[in-house]
Amino acid sequence: MADTVLEVRDLSLEYRSRRGPVKALRNVSFDLYKGETLALIGESGCGKSTMGFALIRLTPGTAKITNGNVTFVDGPNRINLMEMSENEIRRFRWTDMAMMLQAALNAYNPLIRIQDHFIDTAKAHGLNNKSEIIARARRLLTGVQLDADRVLPAYPHELSGGMRQRVLLALGLLMQPKIIILDEPTTALDILTQRSIIELLRKLKDEFNFTMIFISHDLSLAAELADRVATMYAGQIVELTDVFSAFEKPRHPYTFGLTRAVPTLHGAVEKLESIPGSPPDLVFMPSGCKFHPRCPFATDKCKEVEPKLTAYGGHQVACHNWQQVLEESQKAR
Amino acid sequence: MALLELKHITKQFRQGKKVVTAVDDVNLAIQDKEIICLVGESGCGKTTTGKMAAGLLDQTSGQILFEGKDISKLSGPEFMAYRRSVQMVHQDPFSSLNPVRTIYQTISAPLLYHKFAKDERDARRRSIEILEMVDLTPAEEILDKFPHQLSGGQRQRVSVARALTVNPKFIVADEAVSMVDVSIRASLLNMLRRLNQELGVSFLFITHDLALAKYFAWEGRVGVMYTGRMVELSRSPSLIEKPLHPYTAALMSAIPEADPRLTRSKERIVLRSDDIPSLTKLPPGCHFHPRCPVWLEGKCDKVQPILTEMGPGHQVACHVAFDITGGGSKISAGTR
Ligand SMILES: Nc1ncnc2c1ncn2[C@@H]1O[C@H](COP(=O)(O)OP(=O)(O)O)[C@@H](O)[C@H]1O
Ligand SMILES: Nc1ncnc2c1ncn2[C@@H]1O[C@H](COP(=O)(O)OP(=O)(O)O)[C@@H](O)[C@H]1O
Ligand code: SF4
Ligand SMILES: [Mg+2]
Ligand SMILES: [Mg+2]
């Protein structure tokens, strides 16, 4: 059994809204293994980004973590993030766990040169020696295949989207975190740029040995990079398994549906199937299994009882009818 | 005779003090009922080409023929007929639908204006028919809604429905499914294909996603653009199975696939450089040569290759592809 670096138990989060609480995370539990790459997939509005932020308690004022624990395991030390003070958690971010946001662009202050982004970030975490910071920044920028001389004095808007994404990676690695969380790391990048970021992530992971969670609505990125895949739906993980099982032997109708909705370039030409309807309103959710109104496998039980994420061997799934789903998914292959 | 033909179409824009050529000498004939996908990375000129084809933007030089007639020489009513026959659906249905109009108002306006409906009652009946054609049901209920009350996928269907009001022969769909979730993308694509098969509408389908292009245009053709030029244009199966242009081959090898075994076993083509050249400073000869892994020194950096037929229905603009008899064995990679 692999070592666990992060234990998430019953994590629940609500956003305040005029219509009532938005239940964006509902009792999420999972273990993150040391050194693995975990992909969080699902349609927009399923709670993927919220999960990323909640794990490092970087939630907006309208959000409240209503339940649960996130425990960081570092050798013999177990640190409960929910019990940390604001100061402690601020230090913890970047040094132990860093999150790189959707749309790299927004993460930068446009009035500050790239080198000052590095200096400010390092200073905020107790590293004050400017020449050491710049030396580190140079090493990292070279590592992400950028010309440090050109990039350090530049302003964010002077860089292309792909370059900004690379700078963001370098910045995220500055304090050598053990876990990094990437939200849509290649969304909006062109194919060849996306490919070079993918290869870069592989290389950096080999070099720095961090654990990675990445969030993407793009299944092909999960197929490419992930060791394990967690499918999110209506604020919960509904399936969690290794990447091959997720694509080849899905047991949740939602994962199965997603894999049938995207074409491949080099595979056979198949008819694509879509999933009817859209994800539920997280204020007024359906009864029972939250997927039942869209689910072709739904039975009466599904309308009444919400299935729990349950492990069958290493494969976790939250569906009353997973056996039928597995059977269908094998027929479809 | 082609339905619409672009002949040596070029479009230049002024960017500050410089003039850039966004579309450079593109030739494309779209047949009746045909589907053509245009692919390529952002800034390569896809949207500009689509807008010129739809008559929404004037070309700097070249000719556009609609049913054999030069559109710049059409009479007033003929030009109106052309503009109706060619419709464009944009990427973002949010910004292209009027937020204060109900769906009925949006759909009925062109029906009444172009006299496809005699009166309000007729317009309502026809609106319902059209909404059903794009699978927006229950149509009666949808008609009285505002855009913000619909999901992204439903709004995109309304954009398509609006285009259908004037019985177009040809639709330019510019990244029309890029902003909707994957789960509903398939049904949108299937709906568009049905319009092609049942109503005979031709499509110029613009996308940056090659796998989508393959799915949508399997019976049609795919064109690949790079820095404003069409570098490869071919029937889809032949392009997917054996790309002849090194840029197409590189794109195909780079694209991650939604199948872990497939994507992890693909052969990768490594380019000599990742830099996309700026339109204000294009390299001489073949614009791709500074990045091209198989370039010929003395030729590719000197002479611009012209799109040339190399196999049945397969055109390419590449000196190396021209040189290889049997076509492109040195170029293809990662295909099966
Ligand atoms: N700051 C916020 N205030 C209120 N609701 C929010 C906020 N951020 C996200 N939400 C809601 O929470 C749900 C999950 O959002 P998000 O985590 O962004 O999903 P994803 O990343 O999967 O698209 C959505 O219904 C979204 O509207
Ligand atoms: N109205 C305009 N004025 C100046 N430059 C433009 C204009 N429209 C497009 N361009 C330029 O033309 C090139 C091609 O753009 P576009 O056709 O939108 O490409 P694509 O759709 O392939 O991303 C880009 O370099 C873009 O900046
Ligand atoms: S529990 Fe029932 S409704 Fe939910 S996914 Fe499984 S079969 Fe479908
Ligand atoms: Mg998100
Ligand atoms: Mg465009």
Side-chain angles (χ1 to χ4, degrees):
Chain A
M1 195 71 181
D3 293 339
T4 298
V5 282
L6 202 68
E7 255 177 45
V8 180
R9 293 291 176 269
D10 295 319
L11 188 63
S12 301
L13 178 148
E14 292 178 1
Y15 291 107
R16 242 184 297 123
S17 86
R18 260 176 300 164
R19 301 165 54 242
V22 180
K23 300 179 201 76
L25 292 178
R26 301 183 301 120
N27 293 309
V28 175
S29 299
F30 69 97
D31 287 340
L32 181 68
Y33 300 141
K34 197 165 175 198
E36 78 168 331
T37 300
L38 175 71
L40 288 186
I41 61 167
E43 285 163 284
S44 52
C46 285
K48 305 183 297 298
S49 297
T50 302
M51 172 104 103
F53 286 118
L55 293 180
I56 49 170
R57 283 179 46 194
L58 203 62
T59 47
T62 52
K64 186 165 180 246
I65 293 176
T66 52
N67 187 26
N69 281 308
V70 176
T71 309
F72 180 70
V73 187
D74 185 13
N77 301 323
R78 295 173 56 85
I79 307 161
N80 186 341
L81 270 62
M82 297 300 142
E83 284 165 4
M84 279 186 178
S85 71
E86 265 315 306
N87 266 334
E88 286 168 328
I89 191 87
R90 208 170 298 136
R91 176 146 299 211
F92 178 82
R93 284 181 210 132
W94 299 90
T95 54
D96 290 294
M97 204 157 148
M99 175 148 175
M100 280 148 263
L101 310 170
Q102 195 163 20
L105 195 82
N106 310 334
Y108 293 116
N109 182 337
L111 302 177
I112 298 183
R113 290 178 198 274
I114 298 299
Q115 61 194 25
D116 296 316
H117 279 94
F118 280 91
I119 292 168
D120 292 354
T121 305
K123 282 194 172 155
H125 295 93
L127 188 64
N128 284 308
N129 182 336
K130 209 162 152 179
S131 59
E132 194 199 323
I133 300 169
I134 293 295
R136 261 203 215 185
R138 283 182 171 279
R139 254 200 324 276
L140 286 164
L141 288 171
T142 311
V144 298
Q145 286 141 21
L146 287 174
D147 176 357
D149 288 329
R150 201 184 133 202
V151 168
L152 282 172
Y155 288 98
H157 72 263
E158 296 173 311
L159 307 177
S160 71
M163 287 166 85
R164 276 196 292 259
Q165 192 60 267
R166 282 163 208 266
V167 173
L168 197 64
L169 279 170
L171 196 57
L173 293 170
L174 183 64
M175 305 312 294
Q176 293 163 7
K178 300 190 181 64
I179 301 172
I180 70 171
I181 304 171
L182 300 159
D183 194 356
E184 306 280 1
T186 67
T187 301
L189 298 180
D190 274 316
I191 299 172
L192 296 174
T193 316
Q194 177 183 29
R195 168 55 55 193
S196 58
I197 298 289
I198 291 173
E199 299 304 335
L200 180 62
L201 284 172
R202 285 217 172 93
K203 186 184 97 140
L204 293 174
K205 235 191 126 232
D206 277 350
E207 196 175 325
F208 295 96
N209 277 316
F210 47 79
T211 304
M212 179 158 89
I213 298 181
F214 76 88
I215 294 168
S216 180
H217 67 280
D218 180 358
L219 258 64
S220 55
L221 197 64
E224 175 83 35
L225 270 179
D227 298 314
R228 288 196 303 160
V229 175
T231 311
M232 286 197 73
Y233 194 77
Q236 280 191 331
I237 291 177
V238 294
E239 184 159 18
L240 175 55
T241 184
D242 71 277
V243 65
F244 296 104
S245 302
F247 281 86
E248 294 167 0
K249 294 174 191 148
R251 297 182 186 198
H252 197 284
Y254 185 55
T255 314
F256 183 35
L258 289 175
T259 61
R260 290 212 295 182
V262 280
T264 55
L265 185 59
H266 289 119
V269 185
E270 289 163 80
K271 188 147 171 49
L272 299 183
E273 304 284 342
S274 53
I275 308 172
S278 40
D281 181 342
L282 299 183
V283 179
F284 303 104
M285 269 182 279
S287 61
C289 172
K290 304 307 171 234
F291 189 61
H292 90 254
R294 304 175 75 187
C295 181
F297 296 88
T299 46
D300 284 344
K301 185 176 180 190
C302 305
K303 292 178 194 153
E304 282 148 30
V305 187
E306 178 156 33
K308 280 203 168 59
L309 190 67
T310 311
Y312 303 91
H315 197 139
Q316 301 177 48
V317 61
C319 169
H320 296 306
N321 300 320
W322 67 267
Q323 276 141 322
Q324 279 95 300
V325 181
L326 178 60
E327 216 171 279
E328 269 314 298
S329 71
Q330 294 316 288
K331 264 192 235 155
R333 287 189 67 79
Chain B
M1 183 181 49
L3 176 66
L4 189 85
E5 192 169 357
L6 309 182
K7 289 177 102 169
H8 301 289
I9 286 293
T10 292
K11 179 71 194 180
Q12 295 184 320
F13 289 111
R14 189 168 291 282
Q15 286 185 352
K17 286 194 196 104
K18 293 187 175 129
V19 170
V20 300
T21 304
V23 174
D24 186 8
D25 196 21
V26 165
N27 290 293
L28 185 64
I30 297 137
Q31 308 299 327
D32 247 352
K33 303 190 173 62
E34 192 181 23
I35 293 182
I36 297 186
C37 283
L38 265 193
V39 302
E41 295 176 284
S42 57
C44 70
K46 303 181 297 295
T47 297
T48 306
T49 303
K51 282 185 178 164
M52 288 191 286
L56 299 173
L57 190 69
D58 287 335
Q59 69 271 27
T60 309
S61 65
Q63 248 188 333
I64 298 179
L65 307 183
F66 180 68
E67 297 182 323
K69 287 190 192 154
D70 187 331
I71 60 165
S72 67
K73 303 204 173 90
L74 295 178
S75 67
E78 281 175 328
F79 187 73
M80 284 295 286
Y82 153 70
R83 283 293 298 273
R84 275 202 307 274
S85 299
V86 182
Q87 292 291 312
M88 188 147 180
V89 176
H90 298 274
Q91 169 169 19
D92 181 5
F94 243 134
S95 56
S96 62
L97 293 177
N98 188 332
V100 298
R101 284 188 170 195
T102 64
I103 305 308
Y104 171 68
Q105 288 170 318
T106 293
I107 303 292
S108 65
L111 284 175
L112 291 164
Y113 180 81
H114 293 290
K115 310 220 165 30
F116 286 105
K118 334 191 257 298
D119 51 29
E120 291 272 344
R121 233 185 94 211
D122 196 29
R124 195 158 177 103
R125 180 193 57 77
R126 180 73 186 133
S127 300
I128 290 173
E129 266 175 30
I130 294 174
L131 289 191
E132 282 171 354
M133 259 190 255
V134 298
D135 302 328
L136 266 175
T137 49
E140 288 273 8
E141 276 174 38
I142 303 267
L143 276 182
D144 298 318
K145 293 198 167 158
F146 289 93
H148 73 265
Q149 293 170 301
L150 303 179
S151 69
Q154 287 177 316
R155 279 194 295 267
Q156 200 51 287
R157 285 175 203 273
V158 173
S159 303
V160 176
R162 182 178 52 187
L164 290 177
T165 54
V166 293
N167 298 334
K169 293 181 178 159
F170 178 43
I171 292 180
V172 178
D174 189 2
E175 304 279 3
V177 301
S178 302
M179 286 182 47
V180 301
D181 259 311
V182 289
S183 67
I184 38 184
R185 208 177 273 173
S187 65
L188 267 168
L189 287 174
N190 292 340
M191 181 268 286
L192 294 175
R193 277 170 65 115
R194 219 181 52 228
L195 298 179
N196 171 255
Q197 281 155 9
E198 290 173 10
L199 304 180
V201 180
S202 302
F203 277 92
L204 184 65
F205 185 85
I206 297 172
T207 176
H208 61 276
D209 184 339
L210 264 160
L212 269 193
K214 170 197 173 192
Y215 180 73
F216 192 67
W218 188 246
E219 286 93 30
R221 291 187 288 161
V222 175
V224 182
M225 290 185 74
Y226 187 73
T227 58
R229 294 182 68 87
M230 190 75 83
V231 296
E232 186 160 8
L233 176 63
S234 166
R235 302 201 50 76
S236 308
S238 145
L239 182 112
I240 303 294
E241 277 151 28
K242 204 175 211 177
L244 294 181
H245 199 286
Y247 177 64
T248 314
L251 284 181
M252 287 178 45
S253 86
I255 192 173
E257 306 254 19
D259 173 334
R261 272 176 232 279
L262 181 59
T263 201
R264 288 165 201 225
S265 65
K266 268 170 82 158
E267 222 178 290
R268 306 276 174 225
I269 295 175
V270 180
L271 297 182
R272 296 198 294 137
S273 147
D274 282 340
D275 295 334
I276 303 173
S278 153
L279 290 182
T280 58
K281 229 170 69 191
L282 286 172
C286 171
H287 294 168
F288 188 59
H289 89 261
R291 306 175 70 188
C292 181
V294 296
W295 73 302
L296 299 170
E297 199 169 350
K299 189 152 202 186
C300 299
D301 51 346
K302 299 255 157 36
V303 186
Q304 187 159 58
I306 304 294
L307 197 67
T308 306
E309 179 117 354
M310 290 302 290
H314 198 147
Q315 295 171 288
V316 65
C318 164
H319 295 300
V320 175
F322 297 159
D323 276 0
I324 298 167
T325 39
S329 56
K330 202 172 154 196
I331 291 164
S332 297
T335 54
R336 6 177 99 179

